[in-house]
Amino acid sequence: QVQLVESGGGLVQAGGSLRLSCAASGGSIGIFAMGWFRQPPGKEREFVAALSWNGGSPLYADSVKGRFIISRNNANNTVWLQMNSLKSGDTAVYYCNIVDSNYRRTLASWGQGTQVTVSS
């Protein structure tokens, strides 16, 4: 079973940038759509962005559109989330997961996530 490990989080000032990484092991993610999700403090996990298996058809939540960019390298079994112009509302634990082709269901177990804290 594919295992996913997120990294790259940290503390950043509002307006700053971070690049999150999602490394997969135990199998190839090259044939799967991938997504990023986040769980803000005291709230449920929510969708952030997704990308098809070949890097096409990116989809973003309205709250991050124009600021975040999802990308992937299938040869390295890695997915990234470039986060720019960060806001305090982006503070959350960020997770990646395999998603179905419609970006509606997650298909793998959740990793431990990576904490992003944006100070205002």
Side-chain angles (χ1 to χ4, degrees):
Q1 185 174 352
V2 172
Q3 294 184 324
L4 303 167
V5 177
E6 302 89 349
S7 62
L11 174 64
V12 62
Q13 289 189 333
S17 298
L18 281 175
R19 190 189 196 203
L20 306 184
S21 298
C22 169
S25 62
S28 173
I29 60 170
I31 61 171
F32 298 109
M34 294 294 297
W36 281 96
F37 301 80
R38 67 186 183 187
Q39 187 166 16
K43 298 183 180 180
E44 294 189 353
R45 189 150 35 201
E46 62 186 23
F47 171 81
V48 174
L51 195 63
S52 70
W53 69 272
N54 63 355
S57 303
L59 180 67
Y60 297 94
D62 288 344
S63 58
V64 306
K65 201 173 296 182
R67 300 187 297 120
F68 291 11
I69 301 172
I70 184 173
S71 60
R72 66 189 297 164
N73 184 322
N74 289 339
N76 291 336
N77 237 16
T78 303
V79 182
W80 296 280
L81 185 68
Q82 177 67 42
M83 306 188 298
N84 302 318
S85 301
L86 284 162
K87 306 175 181 180
S88 57
D90 296 318
T91 294
V93 180
Y94 284 72
Y95 304 85
C96 64
N97 209 320
I98 299 172
V99 295
D100 70 352
S101 58
N102 294 319
Y103 302 168
R104 292 182 179 178
R105 291 186 302 121
T106 56
L107 303 177
S109 299
W110 294 103
Q112 84 287 352
T114 185
Q115 175 72 48
V116 172
T117 303
V118 183
S119 63
S120 57

